[in-house]
Amino acid sequence: MTTLKSKLQDDLNAAIKERDELRSSTLRLTLAAITKEEVAGKEKRELSDDEVQKVIAKEAKKRREAAEAFAQGGRSEQAEREKAEGVILDAYLPQQLSDDELRSIVTQAVEEAKAAGAEGPRAMGAVMKIVNPKVAGRAEGGRVAATVKQLLAG
């Protein structure tokens, strides 16, 4: 069974052979971030695929934020490159939920939380507790929280 990390490594080697600079630098940086995470604790350890996925998601999010910052700063060439790197990384992540799918999961969670007696500001935490495991890795936290706030207010 190949791990996600070894798939990244294989894809990096292929990208280097194909002289695909964008892909190889993106994967190289991502593998470095994974290695950094592996040696971060008291002892070196191998990350699980889930943990590797979290690192990739974090890296992809960094690219999106950088692309936005570059675009606002009028540096469209750099913004495009960051976007392209993000697209490469997204291919290693689970399919993101559409707005409709997310809204439907959150709507269900809101009803569940209210049925359990959660109300007011405390409802947010209760709903997030129900939603998070269902959307893990398939929707960014900020997007989830915004949807929950919107539906609780509505």
Side-chain angles (χ1 to χ4, degrees):
M1 189 193 113
T2 51
T3 63
L4 187 52
K5 184 182 173 187
S6 61
K7 179 170 173 27
L8 288 168
Q9 195 67 61
D10 293 344
D11 291 354
L12 170 61
N13 293 337
I16 292 169
K17 279 190 192 113
E18 294 160 12
R19 290 196 159 75
D20 183 339
E21 191 278 328
L22 176 72
R23 181 175 282 280
S24 60
S25 80
T26 303
L27 295 177
R28 197 174 278 126
L29 286 168
T30 303
L31 282 159
I34 291 167
T35 304
K36 187 177 161 198
E37 191 67 31
E38 288 179 332
V39 297
K42 285 190 172 78
E43 53 195 64
K44 187 175 181 340
R45 64 194 182 85
E46 195 72 27
L47 295 184
S48 70
D49 276 359
D50 278 352
E51 292 169 311
V52 168
Q53 227 168 35
K54 281 189 180 121
V55 174
I56 296 172
K58 208 183 295 172
E59 290 294 308
K61 184 178 180 190
K62 272 187 212 165
R63 300 302 188 290
R64 278 193 296 278
E65 290 168 351
E68 231 167 81
F70 281 132
Q72 285 169 351
R75 295 166 72 183
S76 59
E77 213 169 285
Q78 271 139 323
E80 284 311 310
R81 179 174 171 103
E82 293 289 339
K83 255 188 220 149
E85 290 184 6
V87 168
I88 290 171
L89 294 175
D90 284 340
Y92 296 95
L93 296 170
Q95 191 60 52
Q96 293 294 297
L97 292 167
S98 71
D99 290 342
D100 289 345
E101 291 169 318
L102 180 59
R103 181 177 288 275
S104 128
I105 291 170
V106 172
T107 302
Q108 207 177 342
V110 167
E111 286 165 10
E112 234 174 277
K114 283 185 176 164
E119 274 178 51
R122 278 203 321 249
M124 176 90 186
V127 172
M128 290 299 282
K129 251 189 216 126
I130 299 167
V131 171
N132 280 334
K134 292 182 182 173
V135 301
R138 296 185 304 145
E140 250 174 38
R143 204 177 134 212
V144 175
T147 307
V148 170
K149 275 190 191 130
Q150 192 184 11
L151 289 173
L152 281 174

